[in-house]
Amino acid sequence: MSKQSYKVCFCFRRRFRLAATEAPPPIKSLFEQYSENGIMNADHLQRFLVQVQKQEKATVEDAQAIMHSTGDIFHRKGFNVETFFKYLFGESNPALDPHPTVHHDMNAPLSHYYIFTGHNSYLTGNQLNSDCSDVPIIKALERGVRVIELDIWPNSNKDDVDVLHGGTLTAPVSLLKCFRSIKNHAFNASEYPVVITLEDHLTPDLQAKVAQMVTETFGEMLFTPETESLAEFPSPESLKKRVIISTKPPKEYLKAKEAKPSGNSSQKEKDSSIEAWGGEIPSFKSGSTAEYKEDFYEEYDEEEDLRDDNCAPEYRSIIAIHAGKGKGGLDDWLKVDPDKVRRLSLSEQELEKAAKTHGPQIVRFTQRNILRVYPKGIRVDSSNYNPLIGWMHGAQMVAFNMQGYGRSLWVMQGMFRANGGCGYVKKPDILMRDPVFDPRVTLPVKMTLKVTVYMGEGWYYDFSHTHFDAYSPPDFYTRVGIAGVPADTIMKRTKAIEDNWIPSWNEEFEFQLTVPELALLRIEVHEYDMSEKDDFGGQTCLPISELRKGIRAVPLYSQKGDKYKSVKLLMHFDMV
């Protein structure tokens, strides 16, 4: 790895020297400060852990254990600068807890938690003509998703039930197959409850068949309340390893309709999320609703009415979380009933419109009830939207197309890295108390986050040497910023380091946070390209509430959310 050449034309090659990974100057300076005569012993390392890494409870024994696991047999009594750097940049020193556990209070009602939620969980690709399958359901559950959505329709013979996106060309999959896959994979990643939301387009006889499928497949795993409507939702702790059915008891059989575009399906209608790396996350501040007028594929409104005259009684009995909007407008939808709780679904554009006039009312509604938000119908490419708009209003089920990818999905994945990755994250107290939080009001700065980007490595091993540039090594830069309430949302970037597989930036950034409880740190690496769009070099998103102070190794992920084998950044975090 000392030299590398790139072909410029038939006769010429450019040669570049490839430096080995070594500690940047700030790390060398810290080593000198916490060592003697070029050696850092356990006492020195313990002092470093307490003072720099802010691990106040670190003992000399902890330091010795780190040395024993990091250094080779010649360095177990002390680090030199190379082994110290190896420890800092190693897998045992990540930005989040290396041994994640569930640590939030899990005994509050379900309405007190954000829940990792999928939308059209059975689709393998786009919303119009991709196959339906249980494979994406299994993948979602293995990643910790706790809410699976199934659209259920009569099969072609009207004697069984299929799962498909109604009114489209999506190829169906058997409902029973989906149920069996959910049962087999529900609790591999988390033992906390799985909610199955059903968008139901069935006749009463087929509803009865679904009820039989559910009870026979899930058996004692199925949670069925003793009363038809709940006065308060149970807690995730009380529902461990249980499956919950949520739907609106339908009033009538909704026949399938062909999708007929009602607007111009030209390029201008395509969501900005199809741009490179998913486009930038739309800001809540911009909030234009003009584009919604051209929504050419409308979702069926699954919650138009709570009356269920034609509903099969055995089907009604398996529904634990009742969904419904009622007949009135927004004020009626958001009424809080002191005697029973329910689930309300709003499309992303319905939420944005409601947030402008009823922000605090939405927050109050979500203190007891569940709000589900789903993507607008024009997202036929399975793109997503800004999840913070839902979260800052207390929405528990912000439903995402997990088979897509892009910046919004990275933020979703980052949020649910919290609380041991169990798929349930306790909502911050600010959303649960009185006076009710108003997301549009700018609050005083509560915390300053300081982030230093030292360097990065690993691209040389995980990518071909011409992946980024056919004629020279890559020119990497890092984007660092915040996804949060409007006042906190911002992105900044480092300079680009030219022709270097191991870029060293050594740049510090500060972020003023008014609601740090809802803030996530966004990190992206790109390769600068003067003639074309910049190339993607990795990303991650980290919940600031769980960020470890000090110098940490930050592994990066692909566009689809898969962890790279070698690519990582060395960064420093501090919160004051």
Side-chain angles (χ1 to χ4, degrees), residues 142-154:
E142 296 289 351
R143 287 198 171 199
V145 172
R146 299 289 85 193
V147 182
I148 299 295
E149 183 191 26
L150 303 176
D151 291 7
I152 51 178
W153 296 81

Side-chain angles (χ1 to χ4, degrees), residues 116-117 143 145 273 277-278 281 382-387 391 399-417 539 541 559-561:
F116 205 177
T117 301
R143 287 198 171 199
V145 172
S273 297
W277 324 299
I281 299 171
S382 293
S383 61
N384 289 300
Y385 50 100
N386 183 355
W391 290 335
F400 261 38
N401 293 306
M402 299 297 172
Q403 76 278 23
Y405 58 89
R407 288 185 166 114
S408 295
L409 185 56
W410 304 342
V411 171
M412 175 68 66
Q413 291 165 344
M415 165 66 91
F416 289 100
R417 289 190 175 108
Q539 60 83 21
C541 191
Q559 289 160 295
K560 293 187 177 181

Side-chain angles (χ1 to χ4, degrees), residues 288-295 348-349 352-353 376:
S288 170
T289 57
E291 64 177 318
Y292 305 144
K293 295 174 183 176
E294 297 186 350
D295 194 347
E348 60 174 286
Q349 65 264 49
E352 284 198 25
K353 291 175 183 177
K376 60 189 178 187

